[in-house]
């Protein structure tokens, strides 16, 4: 048996052996997100980084299939050469964890999406099909290679966000899209967070077709090299369209301040930083939370936490994605944060960076209400009855 | 007629009709129907070839009532078929003679509109168009637009993951639903998602959308609403071959253009539509494309000129750009009326719904013409060309003995062809009972077993909408033992439940 499989059959054999020996596995692509979740015990790693290769790419059909261990960087380079991209902007963990974008399987199974999430959808919205090995050591496929497909349950999407706890994805088929001809960023300076989110709401509710909507308060802005609190809106598309939309958006937002324009690499670099949570990555000792709430609730959640303990935030997704840094002492702010999320109408908070000692003691993923948690356990028991796949990863969230 | 086999009817349950109706009446005093006349309107959905009056119909009005009805049915082993507006084209809402039909149409309130967060929270019986109607005063709309949008319910859309002509750019139901409240067969009420984005952990919402009423009953839906584009204009392009039309579609996409909608019709569909609505479609064209571009004026103008150039480069016979909204609507009128138009030239028609990789279109159309001759039935095609979703309309006459059977056989051949060229059995209408028995052409036993495992996690007694989607119902406890391929288990040494 090999724990460095290079084919689906190898993966199946490895899982079968693990089942027979009742010896759990921890799934490892590039390990870019290995620091998220309950620390592993003494599970054997199943290294998936050797399961590589693009198996199908038809640019005119907007579809690509690759084995799960294929690096995202390799796929993005291939797409770029044909003027296409993964429109959900898979994040890189370079700034947060010193790692990278990881593999296609890793990005999809953890549903990693960047700033364009608000317009183009999450990673899960781009998955068309999956081949996987379940915890029963059976190879199954779900979905297909076409966008419109309602044949059976959408198990390919359903596996996104399972963090390797239901099945080992061995091949993934995704929808790819044309890259925008050009992009520009409209920046407003000096707004307090609640006012900034109001500006973002106005922009997102306008016909400007905004594809990124972030706000960096003072400290985060400074780390990103900006002169003051910065409210950022990205416009992408064909040249004449971007120019016209910029003009109109600037007029619409005049009550919030004067619009500045960033373009080219200055704009692109800023959105990569937002995507990767770079503006709050330092100091490296801080715990980092990724919080998803209704967009207008973002500043309230951050303010509630900051009133209870030292915390620093910045916002993406129009205010709905709050990146929050806290001191990793006691519970790292878990109770306070989750209380604030519940009070603001619900959502979820995940600890994406924190010392192992903290991850041992608090639920890293948002705890679910009892009926939902039970449903999750029943699904896990159906797909992985022997608890072979990533048994620690999401533990403690029930 | 070849009615797909349904789960065996439990006569003992039918004998208890009076007792079951009485129990349900205690939960929903004014919402139970159990007389033959009252049951009649519920005996079929949009797939009218199949009819079965339900045991009883119950129309709850509150989540507590839905929960109590389901808990009672679970406790008493009574099957339940959820129903929205009953427009399903795959028999998803076909009743069971020994099952309760749970109509959600009294859940018809728009509960909340939140423009700042760009969401609407609605009850499942609100129609698809009803959502847009509720938000359009502020310039917003709900993007997925099935042709049935004046009638179909958002609950039904969630269950079927419905699409429409604008889904190419704006996504299907699954891409536009942010949350649901769901009642499980046990009566437990759970909430998935909400006004925030993405799920924490396993994406159960992704499994619910498109689950065809088999996993739970949706009692509330949170959808994303969008600001309507400033302008929309359409261009009508005629070609003398479907190959050229197909290449034009590929070129548009290759140029980095994702139109708001991109539809194709073949010659029989063009003529049927023109007879009906008279909007000036060129009758001699082999293929007609309608490409709609939306966005700011400048963008639309810019892209229209590019699309026109591409079309001319592919030898278009005719290329007409709409100059007014009235003209744009006229371009669409024929396409949107394609079904009734075909209904005028044939006593009956059977609407199919496969998806294929776009480039396979010429091959599929050519083979379809051969199949048309083999089965002795005419076929007209409308096609969501941008995303490869094909709607062949098979013309037949139900009064001619054997024609319905031939139409169904022809339809099944078309769907097998879709799978053969790399496509799928259904793009938006769902599996229901219609395509249930074709599932094995696309999925292996093991693939299907993994789907059924999802069902087992939600409803291990198979009480919700049994007989739909899956060709065989395996008891959940037996699933682990069923994968005998070529007489032996893949891993004989692995113990199985
Ligand atoms: C003329 C015509 C044109 C159409 N055009 C399109 C089109 O362009 N695109 C498209 O995608 N479809 C189209 N359809 C198909 C149909 O309208 C859709 O599938 C629609 O979503 C069904 O909604 P409904 O409310 O009628 O659901 P029903 O037909 O009542 O039910 C459909 C399924 O949903 C389940 N269900 C309903 N409500 C709930 C609930 N609250 N909770 C759980 N399960 C529920 C039922 O059990 C059933 O399985 C068309 C149909 C017709 C008749």
């Amino acid at each position: 048996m090999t724990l460095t499989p290079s084919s689906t059959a190898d993966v199946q054999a490895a899982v079968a052996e693990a089942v027979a020996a009742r010896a759990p596995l921890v799934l490892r692509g590039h390990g870019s997100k290995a620091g998220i979740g309950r620390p592993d015990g003494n599970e054997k790693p199943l290294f998936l980084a050797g399961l590589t290769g693009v198996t199908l790419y038809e640019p005119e059909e907007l579809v690509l299939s690759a084995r799960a261990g294929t690096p995202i960087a390799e796929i993005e380079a291939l797409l770029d050469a044909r003027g296409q991209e993964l429109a959900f902007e898979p994040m890189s963990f370079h700034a947060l964890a010193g790692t990278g974008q990881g593999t296609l399987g890793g990005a999809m199974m953890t549903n990693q999406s960047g700033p364009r999430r608000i317009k183009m959808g999450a990673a899960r919205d781009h998955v068309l099909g999956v081949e996987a090995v379940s915890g029963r050591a059976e190879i199954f496929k779900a979905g297909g290679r076409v966008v419109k497909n309602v044949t059976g349950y959408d198990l390919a999407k359903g596996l996104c966000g399972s963090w390797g706890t239901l099945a080992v994805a061995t091949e993934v088929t995704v929808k790819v899209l044309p890259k925008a001809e050009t992009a520009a960023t409209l920046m407003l300076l000096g707004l307090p967070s609640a006012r900034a989110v109001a500006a973002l709401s106005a922009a997102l509710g306008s016909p400007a077709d905004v594809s990124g909507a972030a706000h960096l308060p003072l400290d985060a802005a400074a780390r990103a090299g900006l002169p003051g609190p910065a409210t950022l809106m990205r416009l992408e598309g064909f040249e004449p369209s971007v120019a016209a939309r910029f003009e109109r958006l600037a007029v619409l937002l005049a009550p919030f301040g004067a619009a500045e324009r960033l373009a080219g690499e200055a704009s692109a670099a800023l959105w990569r930083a937002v995507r990767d949570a770079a503006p709050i990555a330092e100091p490296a000792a801080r715990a980092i939370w990724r919080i998803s709430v209704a967009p207008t609730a973002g500043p309230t959640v951050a303010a509630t936490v900051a009133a209870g303990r030292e915390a620093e935030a910045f916002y993406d997704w129009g205010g709905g994605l709050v990146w929050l840094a806290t001191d990793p002492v006691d519970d790292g702010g878990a109770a306070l944060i989750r209380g604030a999320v519940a009070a603001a109408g619900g959502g979820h908070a995940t600890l994406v960076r924190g010392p192992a000692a903290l991850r041992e003691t608090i639920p890293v993923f948002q705890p679910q209400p009892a009926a939902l948690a039970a449903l999750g356990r029943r699904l896990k028991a159906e797909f992985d009855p022997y608890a072979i796949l990533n048994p620690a990863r999401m533990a403690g969230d029930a | 007629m070849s009615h797909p086999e349904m789960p065996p009817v439990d006569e003992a349950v039918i004998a208890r009709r009076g007792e079951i109706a009485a129990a349900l009446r205690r939960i929903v005093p004014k919402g139970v129907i159990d007389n033959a006349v009252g049951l009649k309107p519920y005996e079929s959905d949009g797939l009218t070839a199949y009819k079965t009056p339900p045991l009883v119909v119950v129309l709850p009005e509150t989540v507590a009532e839905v929960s109590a009805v389901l808990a009672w049915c679970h406790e008493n082993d009574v099957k339940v078929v959820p129903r929205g507006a009953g427009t399903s084209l795959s028999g998803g809402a076909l009743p069971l003679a020994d099952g309760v039909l749970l109509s959600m149409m009294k859940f018809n309130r728009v509960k909340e509109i939140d423009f700042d967060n760009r969401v609407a929270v609605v009850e499942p019986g609100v129609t698809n168009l009803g959502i847009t109607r509720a938000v359009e005063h502020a310039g917003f709309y709900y993007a997925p637009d099935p042709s049935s949008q004046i009638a179909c319910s958002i609950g039904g859309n969630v269950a079927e993951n419905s699409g429409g002509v604008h889904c190419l750019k704006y996504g299907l139901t699954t891409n536009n639903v942010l949350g649901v409240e769901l009642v499980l067969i046990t009566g437990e009420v759970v909430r998935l998602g909400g006004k925030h984005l993405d799920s924490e952990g396993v994406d159960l919402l992704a499994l619910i959308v498109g689950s065809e009423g088999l996993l739970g009953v949706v009692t509330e839906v949170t959808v994303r609403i969008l600001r309507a584009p400033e302008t929309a204009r359409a261009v009508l392009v005629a070609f003398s071959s479907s190959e050229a039309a197909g290449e034009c579609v590929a070129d548009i996409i290759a140029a980095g253009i994702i139109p708001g909608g991109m539809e194709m019709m073949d010659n029989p569909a063009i003529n049927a539509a023109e007879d009906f609505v008279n909007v000036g479609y060129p009758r001699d064209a082999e293929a007609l494309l309608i490409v709609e571009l939306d966005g700011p004026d400048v963008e639309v103008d810019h892209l229209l000129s590019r699309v026109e150039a591409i079309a001319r480069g592919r030898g278009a016979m005719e290329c007409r750009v709409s100059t007014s909204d009235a003209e744009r609507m006229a371009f669409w009128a024929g396409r949107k009326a394609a079904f009734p138009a075909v209904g005028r030239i044939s006593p009956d028609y059977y609407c199919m719904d496969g998806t294929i990789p776009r480039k396979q279109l010429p091959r599929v159309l050519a083979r379809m013409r051969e199949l048309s001759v083999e089965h002795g039935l005419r076929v007209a095609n409308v096609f969501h060309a941008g995303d490869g979703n094909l709607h062949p309309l098979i013309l037949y006459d139900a009064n001619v003995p054997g024609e319905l059977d031939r139409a169904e056989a022809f339809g099944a051949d078309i769907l097998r062809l879709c799978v053969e060229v790399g496509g799928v059995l259904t793009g938006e209408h769902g599996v229901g009972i219609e395509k249930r028995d074709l599932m094995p052409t696309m999925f292996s036993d093991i693939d299907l077993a993994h789907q059924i495992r999802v069902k087992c996690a939600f409803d291990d007694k198979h009480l919700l909408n049994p007989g739909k989607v899956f060709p065989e119902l395996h008891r959940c406890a037996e699933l682990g033992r069923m994968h005998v391929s070529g007489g032996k288990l893949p891993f004989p040494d692995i113990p199985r439940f």
Side-chain angles (χ1 to χ4, degrees):
Chain A
M1 184 189 72
T2 166
L3 287 180
T4 53
S6 55
S7 70
T8 303
D10 288 351
V11 172
Q12 184 186 31
V15 175
E17 191 136 326
V19 168
R22 295 292 190 276
L25 298 170
V26 51
L27 312 186
R28 196 61 92 239
H30 289 171
S32 64
K33 297 170 265 293
I36 307 177
R38 259 304 137 83
D40 301 319
N42 46 12
E43 301 89 341
K44 268 195 210 160
L46 179 63
F47 291 103
L48 297 163
L51 197 62
T52 57
V54 172
T55 49
L56 172 129
Y57 176 34
E58 292 178 4
E60 67 291 351
E61 299 275 335
L62 305 177
V63 61
L64 175 141
S65 305
R67 281 193 260 274
T70 311
I72 288 281
E74 182 185 323
I75 290 171
E76 288 193 330
L78 183 72
L79 293 175
D80 193 60
R82 303 296 299 262
Q84 297 188 333
E85 66 185 354
L86 296 171
F88 55 92
E89 294 189 284
M91 105 174 244
S92 162
F93 285 79
H94 177 76
L96 286 186
T99 56
Q101 269 176 309
T103 63
L104 179 65
M108 302 314 289
M109 294 303 114
T110 60
N111 196 24
Q112 293 299 319
S113 330
R116 213 182 279 112
R117 166 69 181 93
I118 48 170
K119 175 168 183 239
M120 299 307 293
R124 60 88 104 168
D125 293 296
H126 294 77
V127 71
L128 301 178
V130 166
E131 178 200 68
V133 177
S134 71
R136 295 172 182 264
E138 291 170 337
I139 302 169
F140 68 98
K141 65 177 186 311
R145 52 156 294 182
V146 292
V147 175
K148 272 182 104 173
N149 177 8
V150 294
T151 322
Y153 302 134
D154 201 343
L155 205 45
K157 268 194 193 63
L159 288 177
C160 295
S162 64
W163 289 81
T165 61
L166 297 179
V168 187
T170 48
E171 185 169 343
V172 184
T173 300
V174 290
K175 169 167 97 170
V176 300
L177 283 168
K179 220 174 187 154
E181 201 174 88
T182 188
T185 298
L186 188 155
M187 178 166 71
L188 301 171
L189 287 172
L191 297 177
S193 298
R195 184 96 179 119
V197 168
L200 296 178
S201 284
L204 288 165
S206 81
D209 212 6
V210 171
S211 71
H215 175 67
L216 277 50
L218 190 62
D219 292 346
R223 282 190 217 99
L226 299 170
T231 311
L232 309 167
M233 283 146 274
R234 179 172 62 183
L235 304 176
E236 294 177 295
F238 298 95
E239 276 301 342
S241 171
V242 170
R245 284 183 281 143
F246 190 96
E247 291 293 306
R248 294 218 201 140
L249 190 57
V251 172
L252 177 80
L253 296 178
F256 293 93
E260 297 196 28
R261 183 187 168 102
L262 302 170
E265 183 49 27
S267 166
L270 201 49
W271 289 103
R272 274 197 303 276
V274 169
R275 179 193 74 181
D276 299 343
I280 56 160
E282 299 294 329
R286 296 193 298 184
I288 303 289
W289 291 85
R290 187 176 184 274
I291 304 167
S292 178
V293 288
T296 52
T300 318
V301 168
T304 308
V305 178
R309 63 186 290 146
E310 178 93 16
E312 186 200 334
F314 89 91
Y315 308 85
D316 193 4
W317 298 355
L321 179 64
V322 185
W323 288 101
L324 192 88
T326 60
D327 204 345
V329 294
D330 43 81
D331 73 347
L336 189 58
I337 291 168
R338 288 181 173 139
V341 167
H348 46 87
T350 312
L351 178 70
V352 293
R353 186 178 78 187
L358 179 60
R359 293 185 282 124
E360 290 282 5
T361 50
I362 61 157
V364 169
F365 293 90
Q366 177 78 25
Q368 301 292 314
L372 262 186
L375 194 52
R377 279 194 300 273
R378 293 200 296 274
L379 199 60
K380 169 86 173 164
E382 290 289 340
F383 278 73
D384 181 23
Y386 315 103
I388 291 300
L389 305 175
N390 279 355
R393 192 52 84 108
M394 297 184 98
D397 62 339
Chain B
M1 191 190 69
S2 58
H3 197 306
E5 204 179 313
M6 295 305 280
V9 172
D10 187 340
E11 293 298 338
V13 170
I14 294 192
R16 284 164 56 205
R17 181 197 304 264
E19 173 208 326
I20 291 168
L24 294 176
R25 245 181 220 114
R26 280 194 291 277
I27 301 168
V28 190
K30 287 202 210 84
V32 176
I33 303 170
D34 62 346
N35 63 76
V37 178
L39 294 178
K40 185 102 179 120
Y42 294 95
E43 68 185 6
S44 70
D45 59 16
L47 185 64
T48 49
Y50 306 127
K51 291 186 170 63
T52 308
L55 183 71
V56 293
V57 175
V58 57
L59 294 113
E61 282 182 64
T62 65
V63 178
E65 287 175 356
V66 173
S67 166
V69 166
L70 292 179
W72 188 89
C73 289
H74 185 244
E75 184 95 342
N76 292 277
D77 292 317
V78 175
K79 298 164 192 155
V80 180
V81 177
R83 178 181 171 110
T87 66
S88 165
L89 292 173
S90 55
L94 180 75
L96 296 169
D98 57 349
V100 170
L101 189 78
L102 179 70
S103 168
M104 294 304 290
M105 292 312 277
K106 286 199 176 167
F107 280 76
N108 56 9
R109 284 182 315 136
V110 173
K111 293 171 88 168
E112 189 192 348
I113 298 167
D114 180 346
F115 290 115
D116 283 340
N117 286 309
R118 300 164 298 283
V119 300
V121 183
V122 300
E123 291 185 340
V126 172
T127 62
N128 171 291
L129 192 62
I131 302 177
T132 292
R133 291 279 179 263
V135 299
E136 64 190 356
H137 64 276
F140 282 76
Y141 76 117
Y142 173 63
D145 55 344
S147 309
S148 52
Q149 66 181 167
I150 51 165
C152 64
S153 73
I154 186 68
N157 290 178
V158 168
E160 300 285 7
N161 188 16
S162 301
V165 297
H166 289 96
C167 287
L168 174 60
K169 184 166 174 185
Y170 297 103
L172 307 159
T173 303
T174 189
N175 312 112
N176 288 279
V177 165
L178 298 180
V180 296
E181 179 186 73
L182 185 76
V183 185
L184 305 180
I185 185 67
T186 52
E188 287 166 291
V189 182
V190 299
R191 299 189 71 86
L192 302 170
K195 291 184 182 179
H196 59 280
L197 295 176
D198 297 344
S199 69
E200 179 74 323
V202 179
D203 196 343
L204 296 175
L205 184 58
L207 296 174
I208 296 305
V209 180
S211 63
E212 304 198 22
L214 271 73
L215 300 183
V217 175
V218 174
T219 49
E220 184 191 287
V221 187
T222 302
V223 298
R224 181 167 88 119
I225 52 172
L226 299 178
R227 181 64 188 254
E230 232 167 69
T231 320
R233 286 171 74 195
V235 50
L236 196 67
V237 196
F239 288 96
S240 57
S241 77
S242 59
E243 283 81 358
E247 270 153 7
C248 179
V249 168
D251 287 355
I252 291 171
I253 300 219
I257 302 170
I258 303 290
M262 184 146 58
E263 295 290 305
M264 195 191 292
M265 297 164 80
D266 70 358
N267 183 275
I270 295 167
N271 279 288
E274 185 56 20
D275 286 342
F276 188 36
V277 294
N278 232 300
V279 284
Y281 285 175
R283 288 181 178 275
D284 53 342
E286 271 308 311
L288 189 67
L289 277 183
I290 306 173
V291 184
E292 180 164 294
L293 296 151
D294 60 10
D297 289 313
V298 274
E299 174 172 329
V300 171
D301 289 346
H302 173 75
L303 294 183
L304 275 174
S305 63
R306 288 175 69 168
V307 167
E308 222 183 318
I310 291 169
R312 297 213 185 274
R314 284 292 175 187
M317 299 159 56
E318 196 183 321
C319 197
R320 244 158 61 202
V321 177
S322 69
T323 51
S324 66
D325 223 40
E327 193 176 8
R328 178 178 73 91
M329 298 311 267
F331 288 180
W332 280 112
R335 165 61 185 88
K336 295 231 166 176
F339 291 15
V342 164
R344 285 175 74 233
I345 60 167
S346 169
D348 297 286
Y349 67 89
Y350 182 31
C351 171
M352 307 306 298
D353 166 50
T355 306
I356 55 170
R358 264 189 311 268
K359 66 172 177 197
Q360 297 287 353
L361 181 67
R363 174 173 161 198
V364 168
L365 288 181
R367 178 73 190 125
M368 221 187 287
R369 279 192 286 272
E370 292 169 14
L371 287 170
S372 166
V373 174
E374 284 169 29
H375 290 278
L377 293 173
R378 290 177 298 160
V379 61
N381 267 289
V382 295
F383 183 47
H384 300 303
D387 42 32
N389 187 196
L390 209 55
H391 290 317
L393 303 168
I394 300 171
L395 315 189
Y396 72 100
D397 182 349
N399 288 322
V400 177
E403 278 217 353
L404 172 59
D405 288 342
R406 262 155 57 210
E408 289 182 337
F410 186 2
D413 280 347
I414 293 174
L415 295 183
R416 281 190 206 99
L417 174 63
C418 291
V419 174
E420 197 180 298
V421 303
V424 301
L425 293 172
T426 170
E428 57 183 18
H429 294 168
V431 177
I433 51 165
E434 188 203 20
K435 281 149 279 193
R436 187 192 73 185
D437 295 340
L438 289 171
M439 287 290 270
T441 58
M442 201 172 137
F443 294 115
S444 72
D445 281 357
I446 292 185
D447 299 340
L448 284 174
H450 280 85
Q451 297 206 18
I452 297 171
R453 292 207 158 96
V454 173
K455 170 74 168 169
C456 292
F458 280 83
D459 172 23
D460 66 347
K461 289 183 173 183
H462 288 308
L463 290 174
L464 270 173
N465 219 2
K468 316 291 168 69
V469 183
F470 300 112
E472 284 174 82
L473 284 183
H474 297 279
R475 294 232 316 271
C476 290
E478 285 167 0
L479 266 182
R481 288 189 249 119
M482 62 173 277
H483 305 132
V484 186
S485 62
K488 50 182 196 297
L489 290 165
F491 295 94
D493 51 327
I494 300 175
R496 282 155 207 266
F497 286 170

